[in-house]
Amino acid sequence: MFTLPDLPYAYNALEPYIDEQTMHIHHDKHHAAYVKNLNDALPDASEPVEEVLKKINEIPEAIRTKVKNNAGGHANHSLFWQVMSPVKSAPSGKLLEAMNTTFGGVEKFQEVFSAAALNRFGSGWVWLVKDQEKLAIIDTANQDSPVSDGKTPILTLDVWEHAYYLKYQNMRADYIKAWWNVVNWNEVVKRYDMMGA
Ligand code: MN3
């Protein structure tokens, strides 16, 4: 049984960057639907959703697409809520060192990540992942999860239109730019350190 996690802050906490109505619809309708559909597909599951995603190719073919889309939708949104916060923070410690080495600094990292988010065609996600001990920026289509490819996500941005259309309409670039104001770097640092890097 998979359950919808509560937001770790109030629905209006990310205003003015992400509006309260979007957060309600996004969490209470979209994320809730992924959880419901995942439970419909795997009513007896007892493992964490990440374990399902790691073994997605072992899921019976008849339900694999439904499980992939909805397990991804559940896991991706669960991470997304965690890596945002109304409290300002900045990259630090070993993560900051790795970002400097890999991307040439935080600003350069943000440029590359933002470009990936802008250029992701259609619905999908942009990620900062740990892949083979290295940091990498990747993007995925639909609700596909990097976990299914053996990568560990530590930051993600939802660029489905449902994530921003009410406030930003077709202006995805404005949404991306605003989103940097609510990134919970303390959580990203924590996730990076948990990987033993
Ligand atoms: Mn979404």
Side-chain angles (χ1 to χ4, degrees):
M1 184 79 178
F2 301 94
T3 54
L4 178 67
D6 290 336
L7 289 180
Y9 34 72
Y11 287 91
N12 65 358
L14 306 180
E15 296 263 9
Y17 307 109
I18 300 182
D19 61 289
E20 179 175 5
Q21 191 186 6
T22 294
M23 291 301 287
H24 265 293
I25 296 169
H26 202 175
H27 176 271
D28 304 353
K29 305 293 182 192
H30 290 277
H31 189 173
Y34 294 121
V35 173
K36 182 190 177 298
N37 292 333
L38 180 58
N39 282 321
D40 287 347
L42 293 177
D44 302 319
S46 58
E47 56 199 350
V49 66
E50 287 78 12
E51 295 305 311
V52 174
L53 289 167
K54 279 179 195 164
K55 310 182 294 192
I56 197 71
N57 290 323
E58 295 168 27
I59 299 287
E61 211 174 330
I63 59 167
R64 192 179 305 153
T65 299
K66 183 172 182 181
V67 171
K68 182 173 116 169
N69 289 339
N70 292 290
H74 176 34
N76 298 348
H77 288 92
S78 295
L79 176 63
F80 186 51
W81 313 134
Q82 293 289 330
V83 296
M84 296 190 289
S85 169
V87 179
K88 286 265 178 203
S89 58
S92 62
K94 286 180 185 161
L95 174 65
L96 178 58
E97 285 171 28
M99 289 172 79
N100 287 338
T101 306
T102 309
F103 305 110
V106 175
E107 268 183 47
K108 286 281 178 202
F109 160 74
Q110 288 184 320
E111 278 174 31
V112 177
F113 190 102
S114 295
L118 192 59
N119 294 326
R120 167 74 247 167
F121 186 77
S123 296
W125 296 74
V126 184
W127 308 83
L128 176 62
V129 298
K130 190 185 176 195
D131 179 21
Q132 309 285 332
E133 304 302 313
K134 288 200 166 161
L135 284 178
I137 294 168
I138 62 166
D139 59 276
T140 60
N142 305 313
Q143 295 296 352
D144 294 358
S145 166
V147 173
S148 298
D149 291 325
K151 296 168 184 155
T152 306
I154 61 172
L155 173 66
T156 193
L157 172 58
D158 188 344
V159 292
W160 282 58
E161 283 186 346
H162 69 227
Y164 63 86
Y165 210 86
L166 278 180
K167 183 176 173 74
Y168 295 97
Q169 293 83 49
N170 59 319
M171 294 172 290
R172 188 191 286 188
D174 291 350
Y175 161 66
I176 296 164
K177 194 174 169 200
W179 175 74
W180 290 113
N181 291 286
V182 294
V183 171
N184 183 356
W185 285 107
N186 294 335
E187 178 68 22
V188 183
V189 164
K190 193 177 94 187
R191 287 171 183 271
Y192 183 78
D193 289 344
M194 270 176 4
M195 299 182 311

